[in-house]
Amino acid sequence: MNKRVFFIDDDAMERRSCVDVLCELFKDTNIEIEALAPFATLGEYSDLIASKLAAALILDEKLNTTGLATYTGAELAAHLRAIGGSLPIVILTNYPPSDFPSQGWAVENIFAKKNVLTDPKSPEAQAFKLRLSRQIITSGKLLADHEQRYHDLLVKSTKNDLNSAESAELIELEADRIAPVAAAERERFFQLDTEIHKLKQLLGGEGLL
């Protein structure tokens, strides 16, 4: 089964050129690289995470240079960590690591674009390929293990009483499973509320029901 990895960059030409090189780099694997323009707000990523379409994300750090977004790659990674669990997130950048804010903890790795994308056959590019491939495998196995454990505890709870440790573990596993879905629902509610507010203004004010 192919693994879809999204490359997110706010520059259209950069997206195309980088994805071309990344596709060449991963052509002999089951990893598919797909370009994605950044969403306007962080909340709009909730559906992407909830859908579990992404096996990993590759981010440019400077996502806020063209006006498509107001956040950086590290800030996006920190947001996704809150709703996406173990999804591998790496940053490719032309900027030195010293430029990174405190959110840099949220990514697995930070790589220099020039080292990875200049030549797919270079040692640096091959190291990036190997590391990301391993992270995707590890993340997938962790997710599968969590899903199996959740299923086992859920089935057990219907037949026998769980001890306190098992009950706490079941609650934690369930919270991890529903966090992306809950975040997506909150974003849809926010968007709907915003549209209702706009309609009220157009129709004559907030006094309308």
Side-chain angles (χ1 to χ4, degrees):
M1 183 177 179
N2 287 346
K3 307 292 185 182
R4 187 182 300 179
V5 174
F6 290 96
F7 174 77
I8 303 177
D9 195 308
D10 65 334
D11 185 291
M13 291 185 63
E14 190 80 353
R15 281 199 306 274
R16 287 194 294 269
S17 62
C18 290
V19 166
D20 285 345
V21 177
L22 289 169
C23 286
E24 176 67 21
L25 179 61
F26 287 97
K27 68 179 181 180
D28 59 345
T29 72
N30 67 341
I31 294 174
E32 296 180 350
I33 308 294
E34 184 173 325
L36 182 66
F39 298 130
T41 66
L42 293 173
E44 292 176 75
Y45 289 90
S46 298
D47 275 325
L48 177 64
I49 302 303
S51 68
K52 298 184 179 180
L53 289 175
L57 296 176
I58 302 173
L59 311 178
D60 181 64
E61 168 59 8
K62 301 297 183 180
L63 295 176
N64 53 356
T65 58
T66 65
L68 288 179
T70 59
Y71 49 84
T72 66
E75 288 169 342
L76 172 56
H79 170 75
L80 295 177
R81 276 285 167 257
I83 61 174
S86 61
L87 182 72
I89 303 173
V90 299
I91 285 181
L92 288 178
T93 183
N94 291 320
Y95 294 85
S98 58
D99 281 6
F100 280 80
S102 59
Q103 293 94 338
W105 61 266
V107 299
E108 268 71 23
N109 299 107
I110 300 171
F111 293 91
K113 271 187 179 181
K114 62 181 181 179
N115 292 342
V116 174
L117 300 178
T118 300
D119 178 9
K121 296 181 181 179
S122 69
E124 293 85 357
Q126 292 299 312
F128 168 80
K129 172 185 176 180
L130 181 61
R131 189 170 296 182
L132 182 58
S133 298
R134 286 176 174 171
Q135 288 167 346
I136 290 173
I137 292 172
T138 300
S139 173
K141 185 178 184 304
L142 181 62
L143 178 61
D145 289 347
H146 283 184
E147 287 292 325
Q148 185 60 55
R149 180 59 175 165
Y150 174 77
H151 175 268
D152 293 344
L153 287 173
L154 192 61
V155 170
K156 183 178 179 180
S157 71
T158 65
K159 300 177 181 178
N160 304 288
D161 290 335
L162 300 178
N163 60 41
S164 58
E166 290 172 331
S167 295
E169 184 181 4
L170 181 60
I171 292 172
E172 183 176 352
L173 289 169
E174 187 168 35
D176 288 342
R177 294 177 82 249
I178 67 173
V181 177
E185 288 298 322
R186 283 197 301 271
E187 177 63 19
R188 280 191 285 272
F189 177 81
F190 174 77
Q191 291 175 349
L192 179 60
D193 189 59
T194 301
E195 290 302 315
I196 290 173
H197 177 69
K198 290 178 180 178
L199 286 172
K200 285 181 177 180
Q201 288 183 321
L202 288 172
L203 293 173
E206 293 292 337
L208 296 173
L209 295 178

